[in-house]
Amino acid sequence: PIYENLVVAAREALGLTQAQLAARLSELAGGGQPISQGYVSRVEKGALTVSGERLALFAEALMCTPGLLASDVKLWSLGDGCLYHRHRKTTKASTLRQLHAQVNLSRLYVHRLAVTANWSLPDFTWAPVRTGGIDSPADAARAVRERFGIGPGPVRSVIAVAEQMGALVMALPLGGREVDATSLHPPGEAPLFVINSDVPAERQRFTLGHEL
């Protein structure tokens, strides 16, 4: 059966409304009875069970696999304390919802790909450096440099440092320059940093340093 939280995430990741998804479903279904926005709403609320051919139809409309929509997995929201983003004050709530859906699905894609490829995801053993009082963000940066033996001056590759730490780094087009990056760090997992590839390279570099 379909898991409603994944339908919502897949829809929001594509920037679709419920009505737009219903229109896609109706078009793909062909000449039968049109699928309404109300039907999509009931599916997303968990009031309807979707399986078989209808599950495959949802997967096609949402550009994913039936297996993904039928996965019983945890999705993370901003209030969970492990999802962060760097954005402008004018960023719309709808843009952030789309971003949160994209980073959640990116995490699932990476984990599913690792299982398929029989590849172990990196271990991340770093404890956060709590800043405030006598410890500043600069102190945290110096601690990272010291641990990796990075001397003063420019860092050759911030991505290399992040990956040495055990983090996962993805560059994705996030649509314009409203959001520079987002990071997702569920307990017990390696953090995932998603950097906006639509911004200039020097901005991407600075932003990844900020996420670290």
Side-chain angles (χ1 to χ4, degrees):
I2 206 166
Y3 281 90
E4 59 273 9
N5 60 337
L6 282 166
V7 174
V8 175
R11 174 177 61 78
E12 291 185 339
L14 294 174
L16 298 175
T17 63
Q18 289 182 342
Q20 289 170 329
L21 175 55
R24 276 196 182 192
L25 291 166
S26 298
E27 182 179 356
L28 291 170
Q33 183 177 357
I35 296 173
S36 67
Q37 178 269 331
Y39 175 83
V40 173
S41 177
R42 291 194 294 276
V43 170
E44 292 189 354
K45 290 177 180 177
L48 293 176
T49 299
V50 176
S51 59
E53 292 183 0
R54 187 50 63 90
L55 171 58
L57 185 67
F58 266 88
E60 186 177 358
L62 293 169
M63 301 173 65
C64 62
T65 64
L68 179 72
L69 294 180
S71 302
D72 184 12
V73 294
K74 167 72 174 177
L75 297 181
W76 302 90
S77 63
L78 189 61
D80 289 316
C82 63
L83 182 60
Y84 312 93
H85 51 249
R86 189 163 185 265
H87 65 95
R88 289 161 174 74
K89 291 182 179 179
T90 56
T91 303
K92 297 179 181 178
S94 58
T95 300
L96 293 180
R97 284 198 303 271
Q98 183 174 6
L99 177 66
H100 295 163
Q102 288 174 338
V103 71
N104 268 292
L105 291 183
S106 294
R107 168 180 168 265
L108 295 183
Y109 294 153
V110 168
H111 280 256
R112 289 169 66 86
L113 181 60
V115 170
T116 301
N118 195 26
W119 174 65
S120 298
L121 291 172
D123 292 326
F124 186 84
T125 59
W126 287 70
V129 177
R130 303 297 179 187
T131 59
I134 61 173
D135 293 318
S136 68
D139 293 322
R142 279 191 287 268
V144 173
R145 281 179 174 266
E146 182 177 355
R147 182 160 171 177
F148 282 115
I150 302 171
V155 175
R156 182 178 296 274
S157 172
V158 183
I159 292 178
V161 173
E163 292 180 339
Q164 279 184 277
M165 294 174 75
L168 303 169
V169 181
M170 299 178 68
L172 296 176
L174 300 180
R177 299 184 61 177
E178 284 293 303
V179 179
D180 286 327
T182 186
S183 60
L184 178 60
H185 191 186
E189 294 184 19
L192 171 63
F193 300 133
V194 177
I195 308 299
N196 188 357
S197 61
D198 290 332
V199 303
E202 68 273 13
R203 186 69 177 177
Q204 294 180 41
R205 176 180 166 89
F206 176 85
T207 297
L208 181 54
H210 178 275
E211 296 304 299
L212 286 176

Coordinates of all heavy atoms in Angstrom, one line a residue, residues 121-129 140-141 143-145 147-148 150 155 157-169 185 189-191 193 208-209 211-212:
L121 N 27.2 3.4 3.5 CA 27.3 4.8 3.7 C 28.4 5.1 4.7 O 28.7 4.3 5.6 CB 26.0 5.4 4.1 CG 24.9 5.3 3.1 CD1 23.5 5.8 3.7 CD2 25.2 6.2 1.9
P122 N 29.0 6.3 4.6 CA 30.1 6.6 5.5 C 29.7 6.8 7.0 O 28.5 7.1 7.2 CB 30.7 8.0 5.0 CG 29.5 8.5 4.2 CD 28.8 7.4 3.6
D123 N 30.6 6.5 7.9 CA 30.3 6.7 9.3 C 30.6 8.2 9.6 O 31.6 8.8 9.1 CB 31.2 5.8 10.2 CG 30.8 4.4 10.0 OD1 29.6 4.1 9.9 OD2 31.7 3.5 10.1
F124 N 29.8 8.8 10.4 CA 30.0 10.2 10.9 C 30.1 10.2 12.4 O 29.1 9.9 13.1 CB 28.8 11.0 10.4 CG 29.1 12.5 10.7 CD1 29.8 13.3 9.8 CD2 28.5 13.1 11.8 CE1 30.0 14.6 10.0 CE2 28.7 14.5 12.0 CZ 29.5 15.2 11.1
T125 N 31.3 10.4 12.9 CA 31.5 10.3 14.3 C 31.8 11.7 15.0 O 32.1 11.7 16.2 CB 32.8 9.4 14.6 OG1 33.9 10.0 13.9 CG2 32.5 8.0 14.0
W126 N 31.6 12.7 14.3 CA 31.8 14.0 14.8 C 30.7 14.5 15.8 O 29.5 14.3 15.5 CB 32.0 15.1 13.7 CG 33.2 15.0 13.0 CD1 33.6 14.0 12.1 CD2 34.3 15.9 13.0 NE1 34.8 14.2 11.6 CE2 35.3 15.4 12.1 CE3 34.6 17.1 13.7 CZ2 36.5 16.1 11.9 CZ3 35.8 17.8 13.4 CH2 36.7 17.2 12.6
A127 N 31.1 15.0 16.9 CA 30.1 15.6 17.8 C 30.0 17.1 17.5 O 31.0 17.7 17.3 CB 30.5 15.3 19.3
P128 N 28.8 17.7 17.5 CA 28.7 19.1 17.3 C 29.4 19.9 18.3 O 29.5 19.5 19.5 CB 27.2 19.4 17.4 CG 26.5 18.0 17.2 CD 27.5 17.0 17.8
V129 N 30.1 21.0 17.8 CA 30.7 21.9 18.7 C 29.7 23.0 19.1 O 29.2 23.7 18.3 CB 32.0 22.6 18.0 CG1 32.6 23.6 18.9 CG2 33.0 21.5 17.6
A140 N 35.1 26.5 16.3 CA 34.7 25.3 15.7 C 35.4 25.0 14.4 O 35.9 23.9 14.1 CB 33.2 25.3 15.5
A141 N 35.6 26.1 13.6 CA 36.3 26.0 12.3 C 37.8 25.6 12.6 O 38.3 24.8 11.9 CB 36.2 27.3 11.6
A143 N 38.9 23.9 15.1 CA 39.0 22.5 15.5 C 38.9 21.6 14.3 O 39.7 20.6 14.3 CB 37.8 22.2 16.5
V144 N 38.1 21.9 13.3 CA 38.1 21.1 12.1 C 39.4 21.1 11.4 O 40.0 20.1 11.0 CB 37.0 21.5 11.2 CG1 37.0 20.8 9.9 CG2 35.6 21.3 11.8
R145 N 40.0 22.3 11.3 CA 41.3 22.5 10.6 C 42.4 21.7 11.4 O 43.2 21.0 10.7 CB 41.7 24.0 10.6 CG 41.0 24.8 9.5 CD 41.4 26.2 9.5 NE 40.9 27.0 8.5 CZ 41.6 27.3 7.3 NH1 42.8 26.7 7.1 NH2 41.0 28.0 6.4
R147 N 42.1 19.1 13.4 CA 41.9 17.6 13.3 C 42.3 17.1 11.9 O 42.9 16.0 11.8 CB 40.4 17.3 13.5 CG 40.1 15.8 13.5 CD 38.8 15.5 14.1 NE 38.4 14.1 14.0 CZ 37.3 13.5 14.5 NH1 36.5 14.3 15.3 NH2 37.0 12.3 14.3
F148 N 42.2 17.9 10.9 CA 42.6 17.4 9.5 C 44.0 17.9 9.1 O 44.4 17.6 8.0 CB 41.6 17.9 8.5 CG 40.3 17.0 8.4 CD1 39.1 17.6 8.8 CD2 40.4 15.7 8.1 CE1 38.0 16.8 8.8 CE2 39.2 14.9 8.1 CZ 38.0 15.5 8.4
I150 N 44.9 21.0 8.5 CA 44.8 22.0 7.6 C 45.4 23.3 8.2 O 44.9 23.8 9.2 CB 43.3 22.3 7.2 CG1 42.7 21.0 6.6 CG2 43.2 23.4 6.1 CD1 41.2 21.1 6.4
V155 N 41.2 26.9 2.0 CA 41.1 25.4 1.9 C 40.9 25.1 0.4 O 40.1 25.6 -0.3 CB 39.8 25.0 2.7 CG1 39.6 23.5 2.5 CG2 40.0 25.4 4.1
S157 N 39.7 22.4 -1.1 CA 38.4 21.8 -1.5 C 37.6 21.6 -0.2 O 37.9 20.7 0.6 CB 38.5 20.5 -2.2 OG 37.3 19.9 -2.4
V158 N 36.5 22.4 -0.1 CA 35.6 22.3 1.1 C 34.8 21.0 1.0 O 34.5 20.3 2.0 CB 34.7 23.5 1.2 CG1 33.8 23.4 2.4 CG2 35.5 24.8 1.2
I159 N 34.5 20.6 -0.3 CA 33.8 19.3 -0.4 C 34.6 18.1 0.1 O 34.1 17.2 0.7 CB 33.4 19.1 -1.9 CG1 32.4 20.1 -2.3 CG2 32.9 17.7 -2.2 CD1 32.0 20.0 -3.8
A160 N 35.9 18.2 -0.2 CA 36.8 17.1 0.2 C 36.8 17.0 1.7 O 36.8 15.9 2.3 CB 38.2 17.3 -0.3
V161 N 36.9 18.1 2.4 CA 36.8 18.1 3.9 C 35.5 17.5 4.4 O 35.5 16.7 5.3 CB 37.0 19.6 4.4 CG1 36.8 19.6 5.9 CG2 38.4 20.1 4.0
A162 N 34.4 18.0 3.8 CA 33.1 17.4 4.2 C 33.0 15.9 4.0 O 32.6 15.2 4.9 CB 32.0 18.1 3.4
E163 N 33.5 15.4 2.9 CA 33.5 14.0 2.7 C 34.5 13.2 3.6 O 34.2 12.1 4.0 CB 33.7 13.7 1.2 CG 32.6 14.2 0.3 CD 32.8 14.0 -1.2 OE1 34.0 13.7 -1.6 OE2 31.8 14.0 -1.9
Q164 N 35.6 13.8 3.9 CA 36.5 13.2 4.8 C 35.9 13.1 6.2 O 36.1 12.1 6.9 CB 37.8 14.0 4.9 CG 38.8 13.8 3.8 CD 40.1 14.6 4.1 OE1 40.2 15.7 3.8 NE2 41.0 13.9 4.7
M165 N 35.0 14.0 6.6 CA 34.3 14.0 7.8 C 33.2 12.9 7.8 O 32.8 12.5 8.9 CB 33.7 15.3 8.1 CG 34.7 16.5 8.4 SD 33.9 18.1 8.5 CE 33.2 17.9 10.2
G166 N 32.9 12.4 6.7 CA 31.8 11.4 6.6 C 30.5 12.0 6.1 O 29.5 11.3 6.2
A167 N 30.4 13.2 5.7 CA 29.2 13.9 5.3 C 28.9 13.5 3.8 O 29.8 13.1 3.1 CB 29.2 15.4 5.4
L168 N 27.7 13.6 3.4 CA 27.3 13.4 2.0 C 27.0 14.8 1.4 O 26.3 15.6 2.0 CB 26.0 12.5 1.9 CG 26.2 11.2 2.6 CD1 24.8 10.5 2.7 CD2 27.1 10.3 1.8
V169 N 27.5 15.1 0.2 CA 27.3 16.4 -0.4 C 26.7 16.2 -1.7 O 27.1 15.4 -2.6 CB 28.7 17.1 -0.6 CG1 28.4 18.5 -1.2 CG2 29.4 17.3 0.8
H185 N 20.4 16.1 9.1 CA 21.3 15.2 9.9 C 20.5 14.5 10.9 O 20.4 14.8 12.1 CB 22.3 16.1 10.6 CG 23.4 15.3 11.2 ND1 24.4 15.8 12.0 CD2 23.7 14.0 11.2 CE1 25.2 14.9 12.4 NE2 24.8 13.7 11.9
E189 N 23.0 9.0 11.7 CA 23.3 9.0 10.2 C 24.3 10.1 9.9 O 24.5 11.0 10.6 CB 22.0 9.2 9.4 CG 21.0 8.2 9.5 CD 19.8 8.4 8.5 OE1 20.0 9.2 7.6 OE2 18.8 7.9 8.7
A190 N 24.9 9.9 8.7 CA 25.8 10.9 8.2 C 24.9 12.1 7.7 O 23.8 11.9 7.2 CB 26.6 10.4 7.0
P191 N 25.4 13.3 7.9 CA 24.6 14.5 7.5 C 24.6 14.5 5.9 O 25.5 14.1 5.3 CB 25.3 15.7 8.1 CG 26.7 15.2 8.3 CD 26.6 13.7 8.6
F193 N 24.3 17.3 3.0 CA 24.3 18.7 2.6 C 23.9 18.9 1.2 O 24.5 18.3 0.3 CB 25.7 19.3 2.8 CG 26.3 19.2 4.2 CD1 27.6 18.8 4.4 CD2 25.5 19.6 5.3 CE1 28.1 18.7 5.7 CE2 26.0 19.5 6.6 CZ 27.3 19.1 6.8
L208 N 28.8 25.8 1.8 CA 29.1 24.5 2.3 C 30.0 24.7 3.6 O 29.8 23.9 4.5 CB 29.9 23.7 1.3 CG 30.3 22.3 1.7 CD1 29.1 21.5 2.2 CD2 31.0 21.5 0.6
G209 N 30.9 25.7 3.6 CA 31.6 26.0 4.8 C 30.7 26.3 5.9 O 30.9 25.9 7.1
E211 N 27.6 25.3 6.3 CA 26.9 24.1 6.7 C 27.8 23.3 7.6 O 27.3 22.7 8.6 CB 26.4 23.3 5.5 CG 25.4 24.0 4.6 CD 24.2 24.4 5.4 OE1 23.5 23.5 5.9 OE2 23.9 25.6 5.4
L212 N 29.1 23.2 7.3 CA 30.0 22.4 8.1 C 30.1 23.1 9.5 O 30.1 22.4 10.5 CB 31.4 22.4 7.5 CG 31.6 21.5 6.3 CD1 33.0 21.6 5.7 CD2 31.3 20.0 6.7

